[in-house]
């Protein structure tokens, strides 16, 4: 479990964390000199009987909001810290907006420095805070009043944190079997160890000896060591502060904003589709080609936004986002958007399609919160289906459970596609064969290659469909050609014309009449059809380009030779 702080500068976030953990949060000399938090700081909270809980202390100054967003990434519970003397301040509200846009589920409001304010005034601050948080999407508990200096209220806060950690433990790590992903918030080198990256493990697990990738950058490395909350572990689990020692990569190539990944399906992207919500206090609507700052994980990227319709302040809508630098995203991820200039938080959203096909339609359910509905929308955009391994990245965590329980979706040859697409492809095969027989009744069947091309993006499904149709006795496949089961080749002139062609060719012996010679001799209604029927049945053979002999004549020639 990861706990994060949020709140205005000088409201006592670092002091509160230090009182909870017993560790100073001002690790940089510049922080100690200026008396403010500049960088992200981390400390383990030890509660008896529970595994260590990671606490992320973030800067409160407006100049370091981008650092705050990086620290808020991946936290399970936020401590919204408010000074009992000053009350709610601008950065309190901006941090709250960021927490809401990141979809952090739970929070505890903490009123600090109560030893410096009159009780009546603290009551007013608490009432104001409760009124504001009633409108929040975060599940905030009643405020706790504390003084890290005197210790008042600290035991009650620890009890609340213990209760929250116990609840998280009961839920378990559902993301343990998911794809491995760790957004990097720090990168440095340790003598004797080499490059080390740290971050909050979002999903999956990592072990010593694993091969990993770092994106963006297309770097590959091997895991030399794994630590969680400062202790060496066999494997790190989701929701834990993790430090990973790497080999095969230079520390100069590593930075905050990159992501440590497994070697599977992850791919950086420079375009994604999302549902974006604009804050009510945003200065203007979000229009096409608006330039914004996108904060995702520990990364920040300048991006252009292309909403389907202008998004007014306080409203939400679908939009395409085109970052200028690659981001590693997946379906369901949350992000924060800030205006390009002046820089301020204006909204956020969640990713509906991390890799949209070009000129893809926008099904209504693409931004639905129900995973099953969104899965069908994603497949609607992809007529050729999707490889099963890619679904976890397109849809988000828990994709396997959704796939198995979504009506109208089928799994075929390692790919997922809409069942209706399969039915349509099946009907296309039958219709194509029927039309082929109508146009060319003499042919024994349509070539499989031509049949495949008729299915376009579903050509990979052709062989599987034909196997099913053959088993159902609706189609037959012979010598690389497919035909409807009931089809019997026939020329327009009937069987009598076929017999006349065979008789004429036999009578000519080894002289082998051409088609034009047969036409002058027989005057048939459908000479080409009759010839093809005879050749197809093996009654005569085609020699050279347009000359025919009987099997008997070929046999006599062999005897003479």
């Amino acid at each position: 479990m990861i706990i994060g702080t949020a709140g205005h500068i000088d409201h006592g976030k670092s002091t509160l964390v230090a009182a909870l953990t017993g560790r100073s949060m001002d690790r940089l000399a510049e922080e100690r000199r200026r008396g403010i938090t500049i960088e992200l700081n981390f400390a383990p909270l030890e509660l008896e009987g529970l595994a260590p809980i990671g606490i992320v202390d973030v800067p409160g100054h407006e100049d370091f909001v981008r650092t705050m967003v990086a620290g808020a990434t991946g936290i399970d519970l936020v401590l919204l810290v408010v000074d009992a003397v000053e009350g709610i301040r601008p950065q309190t509200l901006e941090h709250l907006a960021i927490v809401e846009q990141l979809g952090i589920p739970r929070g505890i409001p903490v009123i600090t420095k109560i030893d410096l304010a009159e009780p009546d005034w603290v009551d007013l601050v608490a009432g104001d805070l409760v009124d504001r948080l009633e409108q929040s999407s975060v599940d905030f508990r009643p405020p706790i009043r504390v003084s890290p200096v005197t210790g008042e209220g600290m035991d009650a806060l620890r009890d609340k944190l213990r209760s929250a950690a116990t609840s998280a433990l009961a839920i378990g790590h559902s993301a343990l079997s998911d794809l491995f992903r760790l957004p990097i918030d720090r990168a440095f080198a340790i003598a004797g160890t080499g490059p080390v990256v740290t971050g909050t493990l979002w999903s999956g697990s990592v072990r010593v000896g694993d091969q990993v990738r770092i994106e963006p950058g297309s770097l590959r490395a091997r895991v030399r060591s794994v630590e969680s909350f400062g202790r060496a572990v066999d494997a790190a689990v989701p929701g834990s502060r993790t430090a990973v020692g790497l080999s095969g990569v230079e520390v100069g190539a590593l930075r905050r904003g990159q992501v440590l990944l497994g070697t599977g399906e992850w791919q950086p992207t420079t375009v994604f589709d999302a549902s974006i919500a604009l804050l009510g206090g945003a200065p203007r609507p979000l229009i096409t080609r608006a330039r914004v700052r996108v904060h995702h994980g520990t990364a920040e990227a300048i991006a252009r936004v292309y909403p389907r319709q202008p998004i007014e302040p306080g409203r939400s809508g679908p939009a395409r986002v085109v970052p200028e630098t690659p981001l590693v995203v997946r379906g369901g991820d949350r992000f924060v958007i800030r205006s390009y200039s002046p820089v301020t938080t204006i909204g956020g959203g969640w990713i509906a399609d991390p890799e949209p096909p070009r000129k893809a339609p926008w099904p209504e359910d693409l931004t639905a919160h129900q995973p099953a509905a969104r899965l069908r929308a994603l497949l609607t955009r992809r007529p050729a289906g999707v490889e099963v391994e890619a679904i976890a990245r397109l849809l988000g965590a828990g994709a396997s459970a959704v796939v198995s329980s979504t009506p109208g979706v089928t799994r075929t040859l390692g790919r997922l596609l809409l069942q209706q697409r399969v039915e349509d492809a099946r009907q296309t095969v039958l219709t194509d064969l029927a039309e082929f027989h109508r146009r060319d009744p003499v042919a024994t069947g349509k070539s499989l290659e031509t049949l495949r091309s008729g299915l376009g993006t579903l050509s990979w499904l052709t062989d599987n469909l034909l196997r099913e149709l053959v088993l159902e006795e609706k189609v037959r496949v012979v010598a690389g050609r497919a035909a409807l089961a009931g089809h019997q080749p026939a020329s327009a002139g009937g069987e009598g014309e076929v017999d006349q062609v065979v008789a004429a060719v036999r009578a000519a012996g080894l002289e082998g009449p051409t088609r034009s010679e047969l036409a002058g001799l027989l005057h048939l209604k459908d000479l080409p059809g009759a010839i093809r029927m005879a050749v197809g049945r093996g009654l005569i053979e085609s020699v050279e380009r347009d000359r025919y002999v009987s099997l008997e004549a070929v046999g006599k020639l062999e005897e003479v030779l």
Side-chain angles (χ1 to χ4, degrees):
M1 178 177 173
I2 301 294
I3 297 171
T5 62
H8 197 77
I9 184 173
D10 277 341
H11 277 208
K13 296 184 295 298
S14 298
T15 304
L16 177 66
V17 175
L20 285 169
T21 64
R23 301 194 182 195
S24 172
M25 290 292 99
D26 297 327
R27 60 184 176 86
L28 301 180
E30 182 70 6
E31 291 178 322
R32 292 190 293 271
R33 186 183 70 80
R34 297 175 62 180
I36 64 172
T37 299
I38 298 173
E39 260 294 351
L40 300 175
N41 292 303
F42 311 92
L45 172 62
E46 305 281 352
L47 295 176
E48 187 178 353
L50 294 176
I53 299 169
I55 296 187
V56 183
D57 184 35
V58 304
H61 195 282
E62 61 182 345
D63 291 344
F64 304 114
V65 170
R66 59 184 294 182
T67 304
M68 179 270 168
V69 178
T73 292
I75 70 175
D76 304 294
L77 180 142
V78 62
L79 299 178
L80 184 64
V81 180
V82 176
D83 188 317
V85 177
E86 292 192 348
I88 296 175
R89 302 288 292 162
Q91 243 50 58
T92 310
L93 297 177
E94 184 167 17
H95 282 204
L96 176 59
I98 290 168
V99 165
E100 291 170 343
Q101 294 302 327
L102 290 177
I104 295 169
R106 294 172 296 168
I108 300 176
V110 181
I111 302 175
T112 60
K113 305 182 184 180
I114 60 173
D115 54 310
L116 301 180
E118 294 295 329
D120 290 346
W121 178 256
V122 177
D123 289 341
L124 291 174
V125 170
D128 189 22
L129 188 56
V130 168
D131 289 343
R132 174 60 184 84
L133 296 182
E134 282 181 349
Q135 309 163 32
S136 177
S137 59
V138 181
D139 181 15
F140 277 107
R141 302 304 165 90
I144 294 182
R145 310 176 189 201
V146 303
S147 170
V149 175
T150 66
E152 183 180 354
M154 295 301 294
D155 287 340
L157 177 57
R158 289 189 181 89
D159 289 341
K160 290 288 186 181
L161 295 178
R162 174 186 292 278
S163 175
T166 303
S167 299
L169 188 63
I171 295 172
H173 298 298
S174 59
L176 185 59
S177 60
D178 200 356
L179 303 174
F180 168 62
R181 180 168 55 155
L182 185 146
I184 297 173
D185 52 42
R186 283 195 296 168
F188 49 90
I190 297 179
T193 300
V196 175
V197 296
T198 69
T200 298
L201 183 53
W202 275 14
S203 61
S205 63
V206 61
R207 297 176 178 273
V208 175
D210 284 355
Q211 298 295 321
V212 292
R213 292 163 48 209
I214 301 97
E215 295 287 0
S218 301
L219 304 174
R220 291 186 176 270
R222 188 181 69 85
V223 176
R224 293 182 58 181
S225 63
V226 180
E227 291 187 2
S228 184
F229 302 111
R231 302 171 183 172
V233 293
D234 293 331
V237 297
S240 63
R241 283 298 305 172
T242 304
V244 182
L246 301 173
S247 64
V249 65
E250 297 296 328
V251 69
L254 305 173
R255 66 185 186 278
R256 174 182 294 167
Q258 291 177 315
V259 188
L260 193 64
L261 304 163
T263 55
E265 290 298 317
W266 296 108
Q267 293 296 335
T269 183
T270 53
V271 58
F272 60 84
D273 291 340
S275 175
I276 291 180
L278 214 56
L279 297 178
R284 62 185 66 86
L286 198 61
I287 60 174
T288 295
R289 290 188 56 80
R291 206 169 188 216
V292 299
R293 302 172 187 269
V294 173
H295 295 262
H296 172 268
T298 58
E300 177 189 16
I302 306 300
R304 295 283 185 184
V305 181
Y306 299 83
R308 301 286 288 167
Q309 299 290 338
I311 301 175
E312 300 291 335
R315 306 298 294 272
S316 62
R320 177 154 292 179
V321 182
V322 184
E324 295 179 3
T325 53
L327 294 173
V328 180
V329 302
R330 79 185 298 182
D333 281 357
R334 308 286 305 208
F335 61 92
V336 173
I337 55 174
R338 308 186 78 211
S339 54
Y340 180 70
S341 181
V343 182
T344 183
T345 303
I346 59 173
W350 59 275
I351 294 169
D353 191 338
E355 197 174 79
R358 190 179 179 188
K359 297 183 179 179
W362 288 73
E364 185 177 347
D365 286 340
L366 184 64
T367 55
H369 289 285
Q370 298 80 12
R374 190 154 57 89
L375 173 60
R376 286 191 291 267
L378 289 170
L379 293 177
T380 298
R381 291 183 133 198
R382 295 164 170 83
V386 176
E387 291 183 359
V388 173
E389 291 77 10
I391 288 295
R393 185 169 59 86
L394 291 177
L395 190 60
S400 57
V402 176
V403 168
S404 61
S405 61
T406 301
V409 174
T410 185
R411 177 172 179 165
T412 304
L413 301 177
R415 297 177 72 88
L416 289 176
L417 66 164
L418 295 176
Q419 180 64 43
Q420 187 59 50
R421 300 276 190 199
V422 179
E423 296 300 327
D424 291 346
R426 175 190 174 93
Q427 189 56 49
T428 296
V429 169
L430 295 174
T431 302
D432 279 1
L433 290 178
E435 178 63 18
F436 178 78
H437 295 327
R438 185 190 67 79
R439 294 196 314 268
D440 191 357
V442 176
T444 57
K446 190 173 187 177
S447 74
L448 298 185
E449 200 57 42
T450 306
L451 199 60
R452 287 189 188 94
S453 64
L455 289 180
T457 58
L458 286 179
S459 58
W460 58 273
L461 195 57
T462 306
D463 291 344
N464 196 63
L465 288 173
L466 288 175
R467 278 193 294 269
E468 293 178 358
L469 290 169
V470 168
L471 289 174
E472 296 172 14
E473 299 183 349
K474 293 184 177 180
V475 168
R476 67 171 182 267
V477 178
V478 178
R481 292 183 171 273
L484 294 177
H487 172 68
Q488 292 297 331
S491 68
E495 288 297 316
E497 291 193 353
V498 176
D499 294 340
Q500 290 183 59
V501 167
V502 173
V505 171
R506 283 175 177 169
L510 286 173
E511 292 191 14
T514 63
R515 179 174 300 187
S516 60
E517 291 172 341
L518 289 171
L521 177 65
L522 299 176
H523 306 290
L524 301 180
K525 179 181 179 181
D526 184 14
L527 176 62
I531 292 174
R532 290 176 60 194
M533 290 280 293
V535 172
R537 294 177 183 178
L539 301 175
I540 61 176
E541 288 192 10
S542 174
V543 295
E544 299 180 353
R545 179 176 175 273
D546 184 27
R547 193 177 293 277
Y548 305 93
V549 296
S550 67
L551 296 183
E552 293 83 355
V554 173
K556 290 179 181 179
L557 175 60
E558 290 176 351
E559 291 176 7
V560 171
L561 292 175

